[in-house]
């Protein structure tokens, strides 16, 4: 029945990560030109619409695919193919109903959402253009969750790459056509947004074909007796709803962030709508880069859930604990240097990628670079708690973090001296708090406490060395090459990034932050470990 490739959780994560890297390159090609085409003010409409979309999308798909993946993984571990088949059928119908409701809300009430929630009336057209994507991605998530439950990450990766590729082509073409025709930035934003709809449709078609080909509904030799649809629906919602609410708190946090920033900048700090759009637009551009580390770590969180859940079902609690600690350590090794790199090179990154943007961009990115690390750790902690059957705990931490974010934003963004800088400060403070709360929960839930020394200390030493080296190389290169133009700045940044990679690899291997055993778990890793003389 199942086309199970025998992928361990890190092998699956590596496959997903490869797809994410391709997606991020394509996404870079998508969002950066759009930001430059429609400007800071136009990008504020684009970002605001994405934040609304993410709330509905997260509510509909964040918890339920994880629940589906977990239930399918458990059925597969127990050798119950009929149970797995019926679980997918129940999940598919649930996704369809939820997705349809969310799509209709966005399509029928775009004006009310743009004016009353976002304080950005021109975003109305973009909201309506985005509406069909919610239903399409809901259905898409059902197929992805099913395959992930069997430990097969290949279709998810291929589908995601296809989705982004179509989104880039359609979105950029429509945005360019509308702007060239003089339709205005609101229409240009809507055209760019519609690329998401086209990409989601293409990916859904692919996933439907893949499932029919690789997971045909054949009658097994020893059929199992599945639970009733009502029982499965109950299990599905019991697992999925707390995860969805916790994840939705994160999406709502971004929406509240958008609403508060635009509202407080205009009503408290004294900025006009146009000025507030520019400030929020450049903040949105910095967010595009800020989201990169989280996108890299998300594949690992997806793979961890079925791996831990399956180990728990088999009664292998020590294995579940080991997977949890290894995942936290690898997440730190991957994400800490990315956050440090964003912070150290914030100025050249913003100046090179978004020339002509508001001067606040580099400082915004520097603060968000630090916050990016804590975001990644929170995502991994959430996945571990969810896989351990404690879905409700991340919901509590997300809600608490949301309140902290709202309070910080409310006061700091309203201060004319701080203005938009208050938004990333609020993000940093809220995620630090969530990270600490989640870690406390993990210490209570897991049989053995995660070892902070193993998870944090060595990557911290490596990242600090890398950060200092990167700063030194960029400054030294700037003295010889100069930093007066975009091209010299790009060259200096490139040299600094090469130095960062070399320094981090040398220190990570030297301190055994990454071991030979880790490398064996990823495709081709054992050969690479021999080349690097890893222990």
């Amino acid at each position: 029945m199942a086309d199970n490739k025998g992928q361990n959780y890190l092998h699956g994560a590596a496959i997903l990560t490869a797809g994410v890297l391709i997606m991020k390159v394509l996404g870079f090609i998508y969002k950066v030109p759009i930001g430059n085409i429609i400007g800071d003010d136009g990008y504020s409409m684009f970002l605001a619409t994405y934040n609304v979309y993410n709330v509905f999308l997260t509510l509909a798909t964040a918890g339920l695919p994880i629940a589906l993946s977990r239930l399918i993984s458990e059925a597969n571990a127990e050798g119950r193919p009929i149970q797995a088949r019926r679980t997918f059928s129940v999940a598919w119908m649930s996704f369809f109903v939820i997705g349809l409701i969310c799509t209709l809300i966005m399509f029928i009430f775009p004006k009310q959402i743009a004016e009353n929630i976002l304080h950005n009336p021109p975003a109305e057209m973009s909201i309506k253009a985005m509406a069909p994507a919610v239903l399409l991605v809901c259905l898409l998530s059902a197929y992805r969750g099913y395959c992930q439950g069997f430990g097969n990450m290949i279709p998810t990766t291929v589908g995601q790459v296809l989705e982004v590729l179509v989104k880039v082509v359609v979105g950029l073409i429509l945005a360019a056509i509308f702007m060239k025709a003089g339709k205005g930035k609101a229409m240009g934003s809507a055209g760019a947004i519609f690329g998401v709809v086209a990409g989601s449709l293409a990916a859904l078609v692919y996933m439907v074909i893949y499932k029919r080909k690789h997971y045909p509904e054949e009658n097994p030799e020893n059929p199992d007796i599945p639970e009733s649809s009502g029982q499965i629906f109950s299990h599905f919602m019991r697992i999925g709803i707390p995860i969805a609410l916790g994840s939705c708190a994160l999406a709502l946090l971004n929406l509240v962030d958008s609403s508060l920033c635009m509202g407080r900048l205009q009503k408290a700090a004294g900025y006009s709508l146009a000025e507030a759009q520019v400030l929020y637009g450049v903040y949105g551009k910095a967010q595009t880069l800020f989201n990169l580390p989280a996108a890299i770590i998300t594949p690992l969180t997806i793979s961890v859930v079925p791996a831990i859940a399956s180990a728990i079902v088999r009664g292998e609690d020590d294995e579940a604990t080991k997977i949890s600690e290894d995942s936290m350590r690898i997440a730190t090794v991957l994400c800490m240097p990315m956050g440090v790199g964003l912070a150290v090179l914030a100025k050249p990154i913003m100046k090179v990628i978004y020339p002509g943007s508001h001067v606040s961009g580099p400082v915004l990115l520097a603060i968000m670079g630090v916050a990016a690390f804590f975001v990644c750790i929170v995502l991994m902690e959430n996945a571990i708690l969810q896989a351990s059957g404690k879905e409700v705990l991340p919901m509590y931490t997300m809600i608490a973090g949301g309140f902290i974010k709202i309070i910080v934003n409310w006061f700091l963004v309203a201060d004319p001296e701080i203005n938009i800088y208050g938004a990333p400060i609020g993000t940093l403070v809220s995620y630090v708090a969530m990270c600490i709360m989640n870690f406390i929960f993990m210490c209570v839930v897991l049989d053995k406490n995660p070892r902070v020394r193993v998870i944090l200390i060595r990557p911290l030493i490596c990242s600090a060395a890398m950060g200092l080296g990167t700063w030194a190389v960029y400054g030294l290169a700037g003295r010889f090459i100069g930093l007066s133009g975009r091209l010299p700045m790009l060259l200096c940044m490139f040299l600094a990034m090469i130095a960062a990679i070399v320094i981090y690899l040398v220190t990570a291997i030297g301190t055994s932050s990454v071991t030979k055993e880790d490398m064996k778990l990823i495709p081709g890793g054992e050969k690479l470990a021999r080349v690097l003389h890893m222990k």
Side-chain angles (χ1 to χ4, degrees), residues 277-293:
Q277 284 181 319
V278 169
L279 288 173
Y280 186 68
V282 73
Y283 172 54
K285 290 177 177 179
Q287 277 188 315
T288 299
L289 299 163
F290 157 75
N291 290 329
L292 286 174

Side-chain angles (χ1 to χ4, degrees), residues 9 27 43 56 68 110 137 145 165 218 248 305 310 312 339 389 406 423 429 459 468 482 514:
Y9 79 101
Y43 201 76
F56 288 106
L68 176 58
V137 176
L165 180 61
E218 299 174 348
C248 194
V305 172
S310 181
I312 291 174
I406 291 170
V429 173
L468 288 172
V514 180

Side-chain angles (χ1 to χ4, degrees), residues 96-133:
F96 176 79
V97 173
I98 295 171
L100 182 61
I101 293 172
C102 294
T103 289
L104 290 175
I105 292 173
M106 287 186 69
F107 192 79
I108 295 173
F109 303 107
K111 183 176 181 179
Q112 292 83 346
I113 294 172
E115 292 181 355
N116 301 326
I117 297 178
L118 300 178
H119 305 289
N120 199 346
E124 175 186 349
M125 196 175 301
S126 296
I127 295 171
K128 183 174 288 188
M130 180 70 91

